[in-house]
Amino acid sequence: MGDASGESDADRAVKAKHRAMWALGDYAAVANQLIPALGTALVDACGIRAGTRVLDVAAGTGNAAIPAALAGADVVASDLTPDLLHVGRRIAEGLGAELEWREADAEALPFGDGAFDTVMSCVGVMFAPHHQASADEMLRVCRPGGTIGLLNWTPEGFIGRMFATMKPYAPPPPPGAQPPPMWGDEGHVRALLGERVTSVHARRGTVRVDRFTTPGEVGDYFKKNYGPTIAVYRNIAGTPERVAALDQELAALARDQASATDGAAGGGLAMDWEYLLVTAQRR
């Protein structure tokens, strides 16, 4: 099993901040209102079916874990933030999905070697600070011949650009932490997995988001519901001019993203958010 005992005080502090950040706002709303199709897309790409032993890493509120369970798989949904697991459990119960919910650090998973047929993550593991450690753990707990499935936001897509926009307003990242959208770069993911996998398939896709009417609504929604955005605004709360500047930059990003689309029904905004979907077989 992965061993978190070697963590430094600094590492533990980083994990505590991550746990608290993702408990802010309402991530279940983001997952269910904006990107509900992504979990099913990953489950389908992994070929998950009845009887498959599945681990969803950084599962959040179960955007991918719940569809996998509804497909008949034997699923463990793991996440660093227990608040998200509690919400996910309620959602699963309402849908009649049976699965296990387990608090776990993606960089030190509490599972045995080769314990799962499929190890996947849907816009989740990308937010663990040390990419290679997380990739190593996902590979370790996947059986030989099993499937690794990853769906992550690209640097060039809306969410990747949103993180780049927020970066100057955020506290400095901890030493050694890597930017989350790097998981949306195919070359980076291939390097993380290395020679330990075969049959790597990677493709970019988009999810249509047409919930919003104006560019300003997009930033307002993330300020209310999305933990990383809430944390950034808290960091600059004492400087109103910086808050106003970030408001304007996020609205401009939404406007730019919407400009290349056909527009939403009813005259609102429509954005196509880009992701990278990778599947591979454990060697």
Side-chain angles (χ1 to χ4, degrees), residues 84-103:
L84 298 182
L85 299 176
H86 295 329
V87 175
R89 188 178 290 110
R90 292 198 302 269
I91 294 171
E93 289 172 355
L95 295 171
E98 295 184 4
L99 63 158
E100 179 183 349
W101 300 86
R102 182 82 175 269
E103 184 177 348

Side-chain angles (χ1 to χ4, degrees), residues 46-55 73-74 114-120 138 141-149 280-282:
C46 291
I48 292 170
R49 57 189 182 274
T52 306
R53 297 171 299 163
V54 176
L55 174 64
D74 180 9
F116 299 94
D117 301 311
T118 297
V119 181
M120 64 179 183
M138 292 186 73
V141 301
C142 184
R143 67 165 174 81
T147 300
I148 299 291
Q281 305 307 124
R282 178 76 162 95

Side-chain angles (χ1 to χ4, degrees), residues 223-282:
K223 286 166 67 173
K224 177 182 178 183
N225 295 300
Y226 194 57
T229 306
I230 296 170
V232 168
Y233 272 95
R234 288 187 176 183
N235 185 58
I236 59 174
T239 51
E241 66 278 6
R242 298 193 75 200
V243 171
L246 182 53
D247 285 344
Q248 293 174 1
E249 289 192 42
L250 290 179
L253 174 60
R255 189 178 302 111
D256 179 65
Q257 284 281 296
S259 65
T261 71
D262 299 329
L269 290 180
M271 297 177 286
D272 293 319
W273 294 359
E274 186 180 61
Y275 60 82
L276 176 73
L277 197 161
V278 176
T279 57
Q281 305 307 124
R282 178 76 162 95

Side-chain angles (χ1 to χ4, degrees), residues 145-167:
T147 300
I148 299 291
L150 299 161
L151 192 155
N152 294 304
W153 301 119
T154 66
E156 302 84 3
F158 174 79
I159 298 295
R161 291 179 63 190
M162 184 178 76
F163 273 89
T165 299
M166 295 191 301
K167 183 178 179 180

